């Protein structure tokens, strides 16, 4: 999460996401698999405090989780910064669900476990979660570099896509600063379709997601995609009470509530599987009725 002001005041409106019109529970439509809580905890605990080592670890875990060598790449930035790391998990179509998390942290304070090792270290587990069955969408997992320097890696990535590639991104799901409590969503900066799908996935998996907006205090990599009108959503866990932990000496492993963190992983896995099934269907229907 990038702090844009030191004033610890979240422009927040707490609202439970309500799943309207999902009388048919989504669980019957989505399939995904989960890695164990021990594995999720293990990844979280093996953080490095060096940004280049973080990137290397994410790359290794993506490979270990089944990302083929030919689909795993590093994108060098035009500065002395660690690269973005990118894994493509092919699907039946060229339409893309992009899952991103920044790999860097502010090095002045704390260990940057919350912000954002919690997001980055889930990328490989989420790859595993959605790769157990055929997919309509191609999933692209990206560990973004240098978010804390001003969304540098995500801006570079979005900027260097072709207009056609951008047009194929059905949704960008950004993970930033999870595990401080239950899953929250930056609702005011989320695409409506992606937000509704989150409510449906939460309802189907009996997990919580609440709206918590960070408009006045911060930003996140999702905004690099909003620039190009790509539908985006940021999932986090920050509240008015926990916001001061970010970019402070308190950003350490012991700030994490492990059950909440595992629940967030579970919800995001369910959400990605749900999105794969749900996104594009409205467009398909529209085409069919023409
Ligand atoms: Zn941050």
């Amino acid at each position: 999460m990038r702090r844009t002001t030191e004033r610890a005041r979240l422009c927040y409106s707490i609202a439970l996401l309500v799943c309207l019109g999902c009388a048919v529970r989504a669980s019957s439509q989505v399939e995904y698999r989960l890695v164990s809580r021990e594995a999720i905890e293990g990844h979280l605990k093996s953080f490095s405090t060096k940004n280049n080592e973080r990137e290397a670890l994410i790359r290794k875990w993506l490979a270990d989780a089944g990302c083929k060598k030919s689909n795993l790449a590093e994108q060098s930035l035009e500065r002395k910064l660690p690269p973005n790391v990118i894994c493509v998990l092919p699907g039946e179509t060229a339409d893309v669900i992009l899952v991103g998390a920044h790999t860097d942290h502010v090095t002045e304070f704390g260990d940057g476990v919350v912000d954002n090792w919690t997001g980055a270290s889930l990328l490989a587990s989420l790859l595993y979660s959605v790769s157990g069955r055929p997919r309509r969408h191609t999933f692209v997992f990206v560990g973004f570099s240098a978010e804390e320097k001003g969304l540098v890696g995500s801006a570079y990535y979005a900027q260097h896509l072709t207009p056609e590639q951008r047009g194929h991104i059905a949704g960008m799901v950004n993970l930033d600063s999870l595990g401080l409590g239950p899953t929250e969503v930056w609702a005011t900066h989320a695409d409506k379709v992606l937000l509704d799908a989150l409510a449906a996935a939460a309802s189907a998996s009996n997990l919580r997601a609440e709206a918590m907006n960070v408009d006045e205090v911060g930003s996140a990599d999702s905004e690099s995609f909003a620039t190009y009108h790509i539908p985006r959503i940021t999932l986090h866990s920050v509240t008015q009470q926990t916001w001061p932990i970010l970019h402070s000496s308190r950003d350490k492993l012991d700030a994490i509530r492990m059950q909440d963190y595992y629940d967030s992983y579970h919800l995001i896995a369910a959400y990605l599987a749900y999105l794969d099934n749900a996104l594009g269907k409205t467009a398909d229907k529209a085409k069919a009725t023409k």
Side-chain angles (χ1 to χ4, degrees), residues 1-3 102 106 115-116 147-148 176-177 246-247:
M1 199 74 80
R2 176 158 167 80
R3 291 183 78 135
H102 73 87
V106 289
D115 183 8
N116 180 36
E147 190 261 8
E148 302 289 5
D176 198 338
S177 305
L246 304 191
H247 299 203

Side-chain angles (χ1 to χ4, degrees), residues 133-160:
R133 60 166 198 105
R135 295 154 303 280
R136 296 178 73 223
H137 290 81
T138 292
F139 278 80
V140 180
F141 296 87
V142 187
F144 291 114
S145 177
E147 190 261 8
E148 302 289 5
K149 294 193 185 301
L151 318 184
V152 174
S154 58
Y156 187 92
Y157 178 88
Q159 192 184 359
H160 286 79

Side-chain angles (χ1 to χ4, degrees), residues 208-289:
R208 289 171 61 193
E210 291 183 357
M212 180 67 71
N213 301 316
V214 298
D215 303 46
E216 288 193 3
V217 291
S219 191
D221 282 328
S222 50
E223 302 317 283
S224 295
F225 296 85
T227 306
Y228 296 98
H229 307 290
I230 293 167
R232 88 308 196 191
I233 191 167
T234 283
L235 304 178
H236 64 93
S237 68
V238 183
T239 64
Q240 179 76 8
Q241 289 72 38
T242 58
W243 174 256
I245 293 172
L246 304 191
H247 299 203
S248 84
S249 58
R250 290 162 63 201
D251 185 345
K252 289 183 179 291
L253 189 63
D254 64 9
I256 302 297
R257 287 165 49 172
M258 280 299 175
Q259 188 57 50
D260 285 333
Y261 182 55
Y262 190 71
D263 285 347
S264 286
Y265 160 61
H266 183 169
L267 174 57
I268 297 160
Y271 181 46
L272 296 180
Y274 184 86
L275 286 178
D276 183 45
N277 195 50
L279 287 183
K281 290 223 166 143
T282 318
D284 292 348
K285 264 186 221 156
K287 267 183 214 159
T289 52

